[in-house]
Amino acid sequence: MAERSFAEEVKKLRLGDGEIFTGEGILAITKALLECGVGYVGGYQGAPISHLMDVLADAQEILAELGVRFEANASEAAATAMLAASVHYPIRGAVTYKGPVGLNVGSDALANLASAGVTGGALIIVGEDYGEGSSIMQERSHAFAMKSQAWLIDPRPNLPAIVKAVEQGFALSEASNTPVMLMMRIRSCHVTGSFKTRANRRPPMTVAEALANPRSDFNRVVLPPMSYVQEQDKVKNRWPAALKFIQAHGLNERFGPEEAPVGIVMQGGMYNGVIRALQRLGLADLHGESPIPLYVLGVTYPLVAEEFLSFCAGKEAVLVVEEGQPDFIEQAFAAMLYKAGARVALHGKDVFPMAGEYTGQVMLDGIEGFLRKAAPAYLPAQRRAPNAEKPPLPDLSKTVPIRPPGFCIGCPERPIFAALKLAQGELGKHQIAGDIGCHLFASLPPFEVGGATMGYGLGPASNAAFDGGGEKRAISIIGDGGFWHNGLSSSIGNAVFNKSDTLTVVVDNYYSAATGGQDVLSSRADNATKSTKHPITAALKGVGVAWVREIDRTYDVPKMLATIRDALTSDYAGPKVIVASSECMLNRQRRERPLRNQAIREGRRVEAPRFGVDEAICTGDHACMRLSGCPSLSLKVLDDPLRDDPVAAIDASCVGCGNCGEVADAAVLCPSFYRADIVHNPTTRERKSARLAARIIAWLQTRRAARRLDFAGEPA
């Protein structure tokens, strides 16, 4: 099940001409696709655009009514390859995926698509999450647009601009026979607002109609000599056509006065941040009107030299606001000015940082620094002087601890790594490689298992150099999402083919959990539109893995430990795989908690397990935490002057998974953990039993307290 349902929100997709849509940017994109007559959509989930895939999944009834094909692709490569439908047919297609990592995976298909060119509009919606909101390595999608010559649209972060960019993206693609990338930053994805809708359009040609009348053209095949002709077509025809369309339809915008000593050029996605900084400097009103000319790049690739040079005419200095590195746009503009012999001073990364997100404070400091250098008259008197520079901010990294991500409360992956850590305690430290997904958190304390990852589905492959045998077997971790995305062929198949004497642990939590809980091939749930319930073990055996073990309850730490020990000490010399299965606790709680709450409201009897720590027994050595790390397992200081050290304590967030007790048993730690079942709406008999037990316990406690007083009063 997905992280959230959009069943109610997708009803807005039926809005017609002149109605008002209000909601998030993600849902607005879906509505814009339908208004543009898209013929097919697909993609692969990943922040910040996971919700777009969830919206499309919930909107399949509406898509079917319009004859629109939706596919949840196995990977970004599969999604990009699907755009091949627009190569020969005048059908608009759109796919979506997560920023540079999605482009990394899909780059081979993108290169072929951009070389062949498209007949129908092909739109790639890239969920760029550069900077603070990112969960990946810090790279930009811009490089892929330049490499493959695909145009890159970067809309201003408001719903009317985003919706317009979808239509412009399709039109630009068709006008230049080139795929277009639409960049949606994390804040654009979740910005809320309104726009006036248009009626949904059925595609002029559906994929079903195209299938009934197949077309082919060997000139579109990326093989010599056609590939050389395609390169010339890019330069001589597609590029000029794109520039002409961008200028004719005003995809780049200019705001403010025509003449001024300075100006600011920015990526479209930076517009809101620039306006807010100008407002804080007193240089823009509530409507964004400013005395400083602004040139907003709705298209950041290709850049239109005539527009930029026209904007620079008569100005002494221009600032380029370009988030991230390398500074592709600033370098291109510098070359344009040099070739034109212009004497305009170009600023950018001299006042802005080369790397990192342009937060509100960074934007304010950068624009203020530019104006202080180039046009101090624009600034209030107290900000003009060079000595008005603010003192550097303190380095909080030396005083405030980092806050890395971690496993959720009750996560079924935690006991896997507790068992793995116990196994290393017995057999010594092993070479361990991780993969993209929640399980990568195991590289952090308290487990510190693994320390490298090379890409989604490539965990076992990244251990290939250690697969030749040695004193200890290499271990790799991969999730079920990564297994089906790329791991089965690139990692498991690779290990089988090379007879790798290694151990791979497949963490099967029933979903692509880290991206929002979307179903995968091995999901246990029924799915009306997708085929699920395909065992990972069957796929492993199908590609030739002979040593396969499956554990259907990862919380059984002793069994996990025994199985890992067996794999690391077995005489079998080929690849060994343990499939460790338990449902993602977040998804389980999303499914079970509403049902449990409903039962309680209806007065039905419900038991909820809860674990605790007996304060009188706990010694305070905290060994349990070194094998758990659960957020619900914390410390408690006792009101006992004879016990200085805090004891372990389990707070109310506990979901009763039982991991802490299992770990205590497997590691032979202590008997201080106990389980209590909280009963909602108990029976009359249970109420009477509870009252009787409370009276007996109270009597025993009073008797014990009296004996302590008697003992304290005896002479020494």
mmCIF file of all heavy atoms in Angstrom, residues 13 15-17 30-40 62-63 65-68 90 92 166-167 170-171 174 198-206:
data_model
loop_
_atom_site.group_PDB
_atom_site.id
_atom_site.type_symbol
_atom_site.label_atom_id
_atom_site.label_comp_id
_atom_site.label_asym_id
_atom_site.label_seq_id
_atom_site.Cartn_x
_atom_site.Cartn_y
_atom_site.Cartn_z
ATOM 1 N N LEU A 13 -9.438 15.880 -10.723
ATOM 2 C CA LEU A 13 -8.964 15.727 -12.095
ATOM 3 C C LEU A 13 -10.110 15.777 -13.103
ATOM 4 O O LEU A 13 -9.870 15.901 -14.304
ATOM 5 C CB LEU A 13 -8.210 14.401 -12.244
ATOM 6 C CG LEU A 13 -6.956 14.217 -11.372
ATOM 7 C CD1 LEU A 13 -6.325 12.867 -11.632
ATOM 8 C CD2 LEU A 13 -5.953 15.335 -11.615
ATOM 9 N N LEU A 15 -12.338 18.181 -13.125
ATOM 10 C CA LEU A 15 -12.765 19.569 -13.297
ATOM 11 C C LEU A 15 -12.706 19.969 -14.766
ATOM 12 O O LEU A 15 -11.797 19.571 -15.503
ATOM 13 C CB LEU A 15 -11.883 20.500 -12.458
ATOM 14 C CG LEU A 15 -11.996 20.356 -10.931
ATOM 15 C CD1 LEU A 15 -10.974 21.245 -10.235
ATOM 16 C CD2 LEU A 15 -13.405 20.691 -10.453
ATOM 17 N N GLY A 16 -13.665 20.790 -15.192
ATOM 18 C CA GLY A 16 -13.752 21.182 -16.592
ATOM 19 C C GLY A 16 -13.349 22.615 -16.838
ATOM 20 O O GLY A 16 -12.695 23.256 -15.997
ATOM 21 N N ASP A 17 -13.721 23.154 -17.988
ATOM 22 C CA ASP A 17 -13.334 24.503 -18.397
ATOM 23 C C ASP A 17 -13.783 25.556 -17.384
ATOM 24 O O ASP A 17 -14.948 25.585 -16.976
ATOM 25 C CB ASP A 17 -13.961 24.835 -19.756
ATOM 26 C CG ASP A 17 -13.210 24.173 -20.899
ATOM 27 O OD1 ASP A 17 -11.971 24.091 -20.809
ATOM 28 O OD2 ASP A 17 -13.870 23.732 -21.854
ATOM 29 N N THR A 30 -0.605 16.309 -12.738
ATOM 30 C CA THR A 30 -1.446 15.253 -13.295
ATOM 31 C C THR A 30 -2.610 15.847 -14.072
ATOM 32 O O THR A 30 -2.947 15.390 -15.174
ATOM 33 C CB THR A 30 -1.972 14.338 -12.174
ATOM 34 O OG1 THR A 30 -0.911 14.019 -11.284
ATOM 35 C CG2 THR A 30 -2.546 13.059 -12.752
ATOM 36 N N LYS A 31 -3.247 16.867 -13.498
ATOM 37 C CA LYS A 31 -4.358 17.522 -14.189
ATOM 38 C C LYS A 31 -3.874 18.155 -15.492
ATOM 39 O O LYS A 31 -4.533 18.054 -16.539
ATOM 40 C CB LYS A 31 -4.969 18.582 -13.262
ATOM 41 C CG LYS A 31 -6.040 19.473 -13.896
ATOM 42 C CD LYS A 31 -7.217 18.690 -14.447
ATOM 43 C CE LYS A 31 -8.294 19.639 -14.963
ATOM 44 N NZ LYS A 31 -9.286 18.927 -15.818
ATOM 45 N N ALA A 32 -2.703 18.777 -15.467
ATOM 46 C CA ALA A 32 -2.154 19.405 -16.671
ATOM 47 C C ALA A 32 -1.874 18.371 -17.756
ATOM 48 O O ALA A 32 -2.105 18.620 -18.942
ATOM 49 C CB ALA A 32 -0.878 20.168 -16.324
ATOM 50 N N LEU A 33 -1.387 17.195 -17.374
ATOM 51 C CA LEU A 33 -1.134 16.136 -18.356
ATOM 52 C C LEU A 33 -2.422 15.744 -19.076
ATOM 53 O O LEU A 33 -2.439 15.571 -20.302
ATOM 54 C CB LEU A 33 -0.532 14.908 -17.667
ATOM 55 C CG LEU A 33 0.899 15.050 -17.120
ATOM 56 C CD1 LEU A 33 1.275 13.810 -16.320
ATOM 57 C CD2 LEU A 33 1.897 15.274 -18.245
ATOM 58 N N LEU A 34 -3.503 15.628 -18.317
ATOM 59 C CA LEU A 34 -4.779 15.240 -18.918
ATOM 60 C C LEU A 34 -5.332 16.347 -19.803
ATOM 61 O O LEU A 34 -5.936 16.078 -20.848
ATOM 62 C CB LEU A 34 -5.780 14.881 -17.823
ATOM 63 C CG LEU A 34 -5.398 13.707 -16.908
ATOM 64 C CD1 LEU A 34 -6.494 13.433 -15.895
ATOM 65 C CD2 LEU A 34 -5.097 12.458 -17.727
ATOM 66 N N GLU A 35 -5.129 17.593 -19.401
ATOM 67 C CA GLU A 35 -5.582 18.720 -20.218
ATOM 68 C C GLU A 35 -4.808 18.806 -21.531
ATOM 69 O O GLU A 35 -5.314 19.324 -22.533
ATOM 70 C CB GLU A 35 -5.417 20.033 -19.445
ATOM 71 C CG GLU A 35 -6.362 20.169 -18.257
ATOM 72 C CD GLU A 35 -6.158 21.469 -17.492
ATOM 73 O OE1 GLU A 35 -5.208 22.221 -17.830
ATOM 74 O OE2 GLU A 35 -6.920 21.739 -16.553
ATOM 75 N N CYS A 36 -3.585 18.294 -21.525
ATOM 76 C CA CYS A 36 -2.728 18.373 -22.720
ATOM 77 C C CYS A 36 -2.912 17.191 -23.660
ATOM 78 O O CYS A 36 -2.215 17.093 -24.676
ATOM 79 C CB CYS A 36 -1.261 18.468 -22.300
ATOM 80 S SG CYS A 36 -0.836 20.017 -21.481
ATOM 81 N N GLY A 37 -3.805 16.273 -23.322
ATOM 82 C CA GLY A 37 -4.045 15.143 -24.209
ATOM 83 C C GLY A 37 -2.947 14.107 -24.185
ATOM 84 O O GLY A 37 -2.643 13.503 -25.223
ATOM 85 N N VAL A 38 -2.364 13.871 -23.019
ATOM 86 C CA VAL A 38 -1.308 12.864 -22.920
ATOM 87 C C VAL A 38 -1.881 11.496 -23.280
ATOM 88 O O VAL A 38 -3.033 11.177 -22.966
ATOM 89 C CB VAL A 38 -0.689 12.857 -21.496
ATOM 90 C CG1 VAL A 38 -1.660 12.308 -20.463
ATOM 91 C CG2 VAL A 38 0.614 12.076 -21.463
ATOM 92 N N GLY A 39 -1.081 10.671 -23.959
ATOM 93 C CA GLY A 39 -1.543 9.359 -24.390
ATOM 94 C C GLY A 39 -1.095 8.229 -23.489
ATOM 95 O O GLY A 39 -1.753 7.188 -23.412
ATOM 96 N N TYR A 40 0.039 8.409 -22.807
ATOM 97 C CA TYR A 40 0.532 7.385 -21.894
ATOM 98 C C TYR A 40 1.444 8.032 -20.867
ATOM 99 O O TYR A 40 2.119 9.031 -21.139
ATOM 100 C CB TYR A 40 1.264 6.274 -22.650
ATOM 101 C CG TYR A 40 2.497 6.730 -23.397
ATOM 102 C CD1 TYR A 40 3.776 6.578 -22.865
ATOM 103 C CD2 TYR A 40 2.394 7.324 -24.659
ATOM 104 C CE1 TYR A 40 4.904 6.998 -23.555
ATOM 105 C CE2 TYR A 40 3.515 7.739 -25.359
ATOM 106 C CZ TYR A 40 4.761 7.575 -24.804
ATOM 107 O OH TYR A 40 5.879 8.003 -25.483
ATOM 108 N N ILE A 62 -10.030 7.340 -14.250
ATOM 109 C CA ILE A 62 -10.124 8.528 -15.101
ATOM 110 C C ILE A 62 -9.232 8.367 -16.325
ATOM 111 O O ILE A 62 -9.620 8.719 -17.452
ATOM 112 C CB ILE A 62 -9.730 9.783 -14.292
ATOM 113 C CG1 ILE A 62 -10.676 9.956 -13.105
ATOM 114 C CG2 ILE A 62 -9.729 11.028 -15.168
ATOM 115 C CD1 ILE A 62 -10.284 11.065 -12.157
ATOM 116 N N LEU A 63 -8.031 7.831 -16.132
ATOM 117 C CA LEU A 63 -7.117 7.624 -17.252
ATOM 118 C C LEU A 63 -7.727 6.667 -18.278
ATOM 119 O O LEU A 63 -7.632 6.893 -19.493
ATOM 120 C CB LEU A 63 -5.783 7.067 -16.747
ATOM 121 C CG LEU A 63 -4.977 7.930 -15.763
ATOM 122 C CD1 LEU A 63 -3.703 7.214 -15.352
ATOM 123 C CD2 LEU A 63 -4.651 9.287 -16.348
ATOM 124 N N GLU A 65 -10.857 6.130 -18.888
ATOM 125 C CA GLU A 65 -11.955 6.792 -19.607
ATOM 126 C C GLU A 65 -11.440 7.604 -20.789
ATOM 127 O O GLU A 65 -12.117 7.736 -21.811
ATOM 128 C CB GLU A 65 -12.731 7.693 -18.652
ATOM 129 C CG GLU A 65 -13.515 6.944 -17.581
ATOM 130 C CD GLU A 65 -14.099 7.892 -16.532
ATOM 131 O OE1 GLU A 65 -13.935 9.125 -16.705
ATOM 132 O OE2 GLU A 65 -14.707 7.405 -15.571
ATOM 133 N N LEU A 66 -10.229 8.153 -20.633
ATOM 134 C CA LEU A 66 -9.646 8.984 -21.688
ATOM 135 C C LEU A 66 -8.784 8.177 -22.656
ATOM 136 O O LEU A 66 -8.241 8.739 -23.616
ATOM 137 C CB LEU A 66 -8.805 10.102 -21.058
ATOM 138 C CG LEU A 66 -9.575 11.125 -20.211
ATOM 139 C CD1 LEU A 66 -8.601 11.995 -19.417
ATOM 140 C CD2 LEU A 66 -10.460 11.990 -21.099
ATOM 141 N N GLY A 67 -8.629 6.893 -22.392
ATOM 142 C CA GLY A 67 -7.774 6.079 -23.251
ATOM 143 C C GLY A 67 -6.307 6.287 -22.991
ATOM 144 O O GLY A 67 -5.469 6.082 -23.884
ATOM 145 N N VAL A 68 -5.954 6.670 -21.759
ATOM 146 C CA VAL A 68 -4.557 6.933 -21.392
ATOM 147 C C VAL A 68 -3.966 5.689 -20.728
ATOM 148 O O VAL A 68 -4.549 5.142 -19.784
ATOM 149 C CB VAL A 68 -4.448 8.135 -20.434
ATOM 150 C CG1 VAL A 68 -2.991 8.374 -20.038
ATOM 151 C CG2 VAL A 68 -5.045 9.378 -21.071
ATOM 152 N N PRO A 90 2.506 10.243 -33.302
ATOM 153 C CA PRO A 90 2.214 11.574 -32.742
ATOM 154 C C PRO A 90 1.417 11.474 -31.449
ATOM 155 O O PRO A 90 0.292 11.988 -31.334
ATOM 156 C CB PRO A 90 1.417 12.239 -33.864
ATOM 157 C CG PRO A 90 0.709 11.106 -34.539
ATOM 158 C CD PRO A 90 1.653 9.941 -34.483
ATOM 159 N N ARG A 92 1.525 12.029 -27.271
ATOM 160 C CA ARG A 92 2.237 12.667 -26.168
ATOM 161 C C ARG A 92 2.417 11.664 -25.022
ATOM 162 O O ARG A 92 1.451 11.047 -24.566
ATOM 163 C CB ARG A 92 1.466 13.892 -25.668
ATOM 164 C CG ARG A 92 1.503 15.053 -26.653
ATOM 165 C CD ARG A 92 0.777 16.279 -26.129
ATOM 166 N NE ARG A 92 1.083 17.447 -26.954
ATOM 167 C CZ ARG A 92 0.615 18.670 -26.727
ATOM 168 N NH1 ARG A 92 -0.213 18.899 -25.704
ATOM 169 N NH2 ARG A 92 0.972 19.674 -27.517
ATOM 170 N N VAL A 166 3.883 22.438 -18.340
ATOM 171 C CA VAL A 166 3.581 21.113 -18.895
ATOM 172 C C VAL A 166 3.149 21.243 -20.353
ATOM 173 O O VAL A 166 3.639 20.536 -21.241
ATOM 174 C CB VAL A 166 2.495 20.406 -18.058
ATOM 175 C CG1 VAL A 166 2.060 19.104 -18.731
ATOM 176 C CG2 VAL A 166 2.998 20.127 -16.647
ATOM 177 N N GLU A 167 2.226 22.186 -20.633
ATOM 178 C CA GLU A 167 1.771 22.421 -22.001
ATOM 179 C C GLU A 167 2.916 22.910 -22.876
ATOM 180 O O GLU A 167 3.106 22.435 -24.007
ATOM 181 C CB GLU A 167 0.639 23.452 -21.994
ATOM 182 C CG GLU A 167 0.202 23.917 -23.374
ATOM 183 C CD GLU A 167 -0.362 22.791 -24.233
ATOM 184 O OE1 GLU A 167 -1.083 21.937 -23.682
ATOM 185 O OE2 GLU A 167 -0.071 22.769 -25.442
ATOM 186 N N PHE A 170 5.385 19.966 -23.779
ATOM 187 C CA PHE A 170 4.928 19.129 -24.895
ATOM 188 C C PHE A 170 5.083 19.865 -26.228
ATOM 189 O O PHE A 170 5.554 19.303 -27.223
ATOM 190 C CB PHE A 170 3.469 18.732 -24.694
ATOM 191 C CG PHE A 170 3.263 17.576 -23.755
ATOM 192 C CD1 PHE A 170 2.391 17.677 -22.683
ATOM 193 C CD2 PHE A 170 3.932 16.375 -23.956
ATOM 194 C CE1 PHE A 170 2.188 16.603 -21.827
ATOM 195 C CE2 PHE A 170 3.737 15.294 -23.096
ATOM 196 C CZ PHE A 170 2.868 15.409 -22.028
ATOM 197 N N ALA A 171 4.661 21.141 -26.251
ATOM 198 C CA ALA A 171 4.718 21.910 -27.501
ATOM 199 C C ALA A 171 6.159 22.108 -27.962
ATOM 200 O O ALA A 171 6.464 21.996 -29.160
ATOM 201 C CB ALA A 171 4.031 23.262 -27.300
ATOM 202 N N GLU A 174 7.454 18.851 -29.467
ATOM 203 C CA GLU A 174 6.932 18.594 -30.809
ATOM 204 C C GLU A 174 7.513 19.556 -31.841
ATOM 205 O O GLU A 174 7.789 19.160 -32.985
ATOM 206 C CB GLU A 174 5.405 18.696 -30.780
ATOM 207 C CG GLU A 174 4.758 17.551 -29.994
ATOM 208 C CD GLU A 174 3.323 17.834 -29.586
ATOM 209 O OE1 GLU A 174 2.898 19.010 -29.648
ATOM 210 O OE2 GLU A 174 2.622 16.895 -29.194
ATOM 211 N N ARG A 198 -8.875 23.552 -17.502
ATOM 212 C CA ARG A 198 -9.463 23.311 -18.816
ATOM 213 C C ARG A 198 -10.001 21.883 -18.840
ATOM 214 O O ARG A 198 -9.638 21.055 -17.996
ATOM 215 C CB ARG A 198 -8.421 23.492 -19.926
ATOM 216 C CG ARG A 198 -7.852 24.901 -20.034
ATOM 217 C CD ARG A 198 -6.767 24.961 -21.095
ATOM 218 N NE ARG A 198 -5.625 24.131 -20.728
ATOM 219 C CZ ARG A 198 -4.701 23.720 -21.586
ATOM 220 N NH1 ARG A 198 -4.797 24.041 -22.869
ATOM 221 N NH2 ARG A 198 -3.690 22.981 -21.181
ATOM 222 N N ALA A 199 -10.836 21.588 -19.778
ATOM 223 C CA ALA A 199 -11.385 20.244 -19.889
ATOM 224 C C ALA A 199 -10.286 19.259 -20.272
ATOM 225 O O ALA A 199 -9.358 19.594 -21.014
ATOM 226 C CB ALA A 199 -12.500 20.219 -20.933
ATOM 227 N N ASN A 200 -10.384 18.043 -19.764
ATOM 228 C CA ASN A 200 -9.443 16.994 -20.147
ATOM 229 C C ASN A 200 -9.624 16.659 -21.619
ATOM 230 O O ASN A 200 -10.740 16.699 -22.153
ATOM 231 C CB ASN A 200 -9.661 15.744 -19.302
ATOM 232 C CG ASN A 200 -9.376 15.984 -17.831
ATOM 233 O OD1 ASN A 200 -8.591 16.865 -17.478
ATOM 234 N ND2 ASN A 200 -10.017 15.220 -16.966
ATOM 235 N N ARG A 201 -8.508 16.308 -22.264
ATOM 236 C CA ARG A 201 -8.545 15.983 -23.693
ATOM 237 C C ARG A 201 -8.183 14.520 -23.909
ATOM 238 O O ARG A 201 -7.194 14.033 -23.359
ATOM 239 C CB ARG A 201 -7.546 16.843 -24.468
ATOM 240 C CG ARG A 201 -7.918 18.301 -24.620
ATOM 241 C CD ARG A 201 -6.750 19.090 -25.206
ATOM 242 N NE ARG A 201 -6.176 18.422 -26.372
ATOM 243 C CZ ARG A 201 -4.948 18.684 -26.847
ATOM 244 N NH1 ARG A 201 -4.184 19.571 -26.241
ATOM 245 N NH2 ARG A 201 -4.498 18.054 -27.918
ATOM 246 N N ARG A 202 -8.984 13.838 -24.685
ATOM 247 C CA ARG A 202 -8.624 12.502 -25.104
ATOM 248 C C ARG A 202 -7.491 12.628 -26.124
ATOM 249 O O ARG A 202 -7.522 13.498 -26.992
ATOM 250 C CB ARG A 202 -9.825 11.804 -25.740
ATOM 251 C CG ARG A 202 -9.577 10.340 -26.102
ATOM 252 C CD ARG A 202 -10.815 9.707 -26.699
ATOM 253 N NE ARG A 202 -10.572 8.331 -27.088
ATOM 254 C CZ ARG A 202 -10.639 7.290 -26.273
ATOM 255 N NH1 ARG A 202 -10.984 7.496 -25.009
ATOM 256 N NH2 ARG A 202 -10.392 6.070 -26.705
ATOM 257 N N PRO A 203 -6.444 11.808 -26.031
ATOM 258 C CA PRO A 203 -5.336 11.935 -26.992
ATOM 259 C C PRO A 203 -5.821 11.747 -28.420
ATOM 260 O O PRO A 203 -6.658 10.860 -28.682
ATOM 261 C CB PRO A 203 -4.372 10.824 -26.569
ATOM 262 C CG PRO A 203 -5.161 9.902 -25.708
ATOM 263 C CD PRO A 203 -6.202 10.731 -25.056
ATOM 264 N N PRO A 204 -5.327 12.577 -29.359
ATOM 265 C CA PRO A 204 -5.743 12.433 -30.769
ATOM 266 C C PRO A 204 -5.496 11.036 -31.315
ATOM 267 O O PRO A 204 -6.248 10.548 -32.153
ATOM 268 C CB PRO A 204 -4.893 13.478 -31.493
ATOM 269 C CG PRO A 204 -4.526 14.467 -30.437
ATOM 270 C CD PRO A 204 -4.401 13.689 -29.161
ATOM 271 N N MET A 205 -4.410 10.417 -30.829
ATOM 272 C CA MET A 205 -4.134 9.017 -31.163
ATOM 273 C C MET A 205 -3.772 8.296 -29.877
ATOM 274 O O MET A 205 -2.848 8.691 -29.174
ATOM 275 C CB MET A 205 -2.987 8.901 -32.169
ATOM 276 C CG MET A 205 -2.586 7.440 -32.448
ATOM 277 S SD MET A 205 -1.147 7.278 -33.532
ATOM 278 C CE MET A 205 -1.909 7.623 -35.115
ATOM 279 N N THR A 206 -4.515 7.264 -29.530
ATOM 280 C CA THR A 206 -4.205 6.473 -28.343
ATOM 281 C C THR A 206 -3.170 5.417 -28.694
ATOM 282 O O THR A 206 -2.940 5.105 -29.875
ATOM 283 C CB THR A 206 -5.460 5.786 -27.789
ATOM 284 O OG1 THR A 206 -5.919 4.811 -28.742
ATOM 285 C CG2 THR A 206 -6.567 6.795 -27.520
#
